[in-house]
Amino acid sequence: MAKWTPKHEAPEPLEGPVVATITGGTILWFVLFLVQLPFYGWFDDHGHLWWLWTCLAGAGLGLIGIWYVRGRDAALKRAAAAAAGRGDTAEGAAS
């Protein structure tokens, strides 16, 4: 069996409003937790209590994600400012 090799280059990663996306997702998980909280007894009776805790875990992990992407965004901005201060271009910094 021959080894598979890619026939084209991988695309560049998409950059967008990452901090806003992660923050929005975190808020959504927490809102879902709050909406389900009044139905705790029903979830417990029907064996679906994990739905509630999944939403809370999503919100907690989202907080870690917000901390991470804010640090990443700040590091990218610092690197861009340092490259601009040296007069580097994107092509020059990559080589």
Side-chain angles (χ1 to χ4, degrees), residues 8-81:
H8 54 81
E9 294 292 321
E12 290 293 320
L14 296 175
E15 290 294 334
V18 179
V19 175
T21 302
I22 301 300
T23 302
T26 302
I27 291 169
L28 181 63
W29 279 116
F30 191 67
V31 167
L32 288 171
F33 170 74
L34 292 177
V35 166
Q36 292 177 8
L37 198 55
F39 304 102
Y40 184 92
W42 185 90
F43 285 119
D44 194 23
D45 293 343
H46 292 87
H48 297 301
L49 200 54
W50 63 272
W51 290 5
L52 189 73
W53 302 124
T54 299
C55 293
L56 188 59
L61 290 172
L63 292 174
I64 295 169
I66 291 170
W67 170 77
Y68 179 82
V69 296
R70 287 186 64 185
R72 177 184 177 271
D73 194 42
L76 288 173
K77 287 179 181 175
R78 282 192 308 270

